[in-house]
Amino acid sequence: MRKVARRQMRAVMATEPGGPEVLEVVRVPEPEPRPDHELVMVTMAGVNPADILMRENQWLGPIRFPFVPGRELVGVLDDGRRIAGLTSSGAYAQRALVERGLYWEIPDELTDEDACGLTLDGLTAWHLLHTALRIERYEVLVVSDAASAVGCLAIQLAKSHGAFVVAMDRGKHRLQAALDLGADAIVDCSETDGLIDRIREATGGLPIDAALDLVGGDIFPALFQSLRFRGRIVVDGCSSRNRGDIAFRDLVFGSKSIIGFWLPNLFTDLHAIHNSIHTIFAAKAIGALSLPVEARYMLDDVRWAHRTLVPGNPSHGYPGKTMLNMIGYYY
């Protein structure tokens, strides 16, 4: 049987480990069909901290270069359905493969941009709170990197569950965004000296039950030390690139819990994933959930998109989600 030539498409290729300069827009054949996968015409791709870590070869698992980055996409199936999906890589392309069970139809009330902002970050925020921390009504929760996409959604989801939320981030602009989304109190962590005391003061004397750390570095031990007896902290990602350390005696004497979280571990529990994504989409549809869009870039501007997620970069000061527009024009 004669083999049918695959169509060419535009995609972003990470040619080797390094900074944004290793990202190249190239023409490659579209993905080969695979069992239990659907080919998607991609309209939007999420730009996430995980993409940066993979590009730098600092990801949790081995990365084979060159590769097409991107773990989150929105697009259209051959039958015309709009879907949002998750991949291990390959979303920064005009077409990508998504495994059946890891994509979901988008309600008519949501735009592609809405769905792109809610899929990976929404699932992460939801399961950090409800699967990992098991947050309870009236508990006091501290959220670090509060103006990130995950942080913005975690604030709103925790508030809707009845928690008292302290938002922690750097700079007035990002902290104001957290207040606008419903945070009860804010803490500026631009300086770490005295941070533990500032965290505790922000609650007005209430003991801190739980913390959600997306940063690591000096932030992690400060959050850990601020917890009450039998408090708990969940760790997801490490945007500071510094893992931080905790003394064994502090862990034991405080009867505190440190919980690690990695969303792909839940992909075998499709019931939990499906229920949570549909709840998140429904909340957005009725106006109960929102997410600022930090920036939307064309495919050719992917290097700039990656720079927005680098702490210390001037554009990193804006809250919300960064995404790539894959359909070829601004709108």
Side-chain angles (χ1 to χ4, degrees):
M1 181 180 295
R2 185 168 60 90
K3 189 174 182 178
V4 178
R6 289 179 287 154
R7 292 176 293 181
Q8 293 286 302
M9 67 175 188
R10 299 180 78 224
V12 174
M13 191 74 71
T15 57
E16 60 183 337
E21 68 278 358
V22 305
L23 300 174
E24 300 283 351
V25 179
V26 298
R27 294 195 67 84
V28 295
E30 69 179 25
E32 291 186 359
R34 291 175 58 188
D36 300 318
H37 287 70
E38 299 282 358
L39 185 64
V40 183
M41 184 182 73
V42 183
T43 59
M44 305 289 293
V47 179
N48 298 294
D51 305 340
I52 312 302
L53 293 173
M54 292 177 74
R55 188 202 72 216
E56 295 175 342
N57 203 19
Q58 296 190 41
W59 186 235
L60 296 173
I63 302 296
R64 295 180 60 185
F65 290 84
F67 77 101
V68 177
R71 301 170 60 82
E72 174 187 38
L73 61 81
V74 168
V76 182
L77 299 178
D78 287 341
D79 60 13
R81 287 181 293 161
R82 288 193 310 137
I83 62 99
L86 300 177
T87 68
S88 58
S89 62
Y92 292 8
Q94 291 178 315
R95 296 179 184 85
L97 290 175
V98 180
E99 185 176 355
R100 291 172 190 153
L102 288 179
Y103 68 80
W104 305 274
E105 287 193 53
I106 302 171
D108 292 339
E109 296 86 353
L110 270 61
T111 66
D112 286 4
E113 184 178 278
D114 292 333
C116 189
L118 294 173
T119 304
L120 181 60
D121 296 312
L123 285 170
T124 299
W126 176 275
H127 288 285
L128 282 169
L129 293 172
H130 298 297
T131 303
L133 280 179
R134 299 183 181 273
I135 198 72
E136 298 285 347
R137 187 176 177 85
Y138 303 126
E139 284 194 313
V140 177
L141 169 73
V142 182
V143 178
S144 73
D145 204 13
S148 67
V150 172
C152 288
L153 294 170
I155 289 169
Q156 297 169 84
L157 291 170
K159 286 300 299 176
S160 69
H161 199 64
F164 181 98
V165 178
V166 178
M168 189 163 69
D169 213 313
R170 292 176 167 86
K172 293 181 179 179
H173 187 69
R174 291 176 69 85
L175 290 170
Q176 184 58 53
L179 286 173
D180 293 343
L181 291 170
D184 298 285
I186 55 175
V187 176
D188 193 328
C189 58
S190 300
E191 298 292 336
T192 55
D193 289 345
L195 182 55
I196 297 173
D197 291 335
R198 295 202 305 277
I199 294 171
R200 290 171 172 164
E201 289 168 3
T203 70
L206 295 173
I208 298 169
D209 302 287
L212 191 165
D213 184 26
L214 306 172
V215 179
D218 294 336
I219 301 302
F220 174 65
L223 285 172
F224 182 83
Q225 295 294 342
S226 68
L227 293 172
R228 66 165 175 81
F229 166 71
R230 296 184 65 188
R232 57 209 190 277
I233 183 170
V234 63
V235 181
D236 175 68
C238 184
S239 62
S240 71
R241 308 298 195 275
N242 179 353
R243 269 60 180 179
D245 295 307
I246 289 294
F248 180 77
R249 66 184 305 277
D250 294 332
L251 178 67
V252 174
F253 288 174
S255 296
K256 299 177 182 180
S257 300
I258 301 173
I259 307 162
F261 180 81
W262 195 41
L263 183 64
N265 285 334
L266 291 177
F267 289 172
T268 56
D269 188 354
L270 294 182
H271 180 72
I273 292 290
H274 281 259
N275 282 352
S276 52
I277 195 66
H278 289 306
T279 300
I280 292 163
F281 282 172
K284 174 62 178 176
I286 64 173
L289 199 60
S290 64
L291 179 63
V293 175
E294 177 177 325
R296 183 173 55 226
Y297 291 89
M298 302 296 288
L299 185 63
D300 291 310
D301 297 325
V302 63
R303 293 178 180 178
W304 287 107
H306 270 223
R307 290 186 179 104
T308 65
L309 296 186
V310 177
N313 187 291
S315 59
H316 184 68
Y318 295 98
K321 181 75 174 182
T322 300
M323 56 188 74
L324 291 175
N325 175 4
M326 306 296 295
I327 57 180
Y329 56 85
Y330 289 104
Y331 65 97

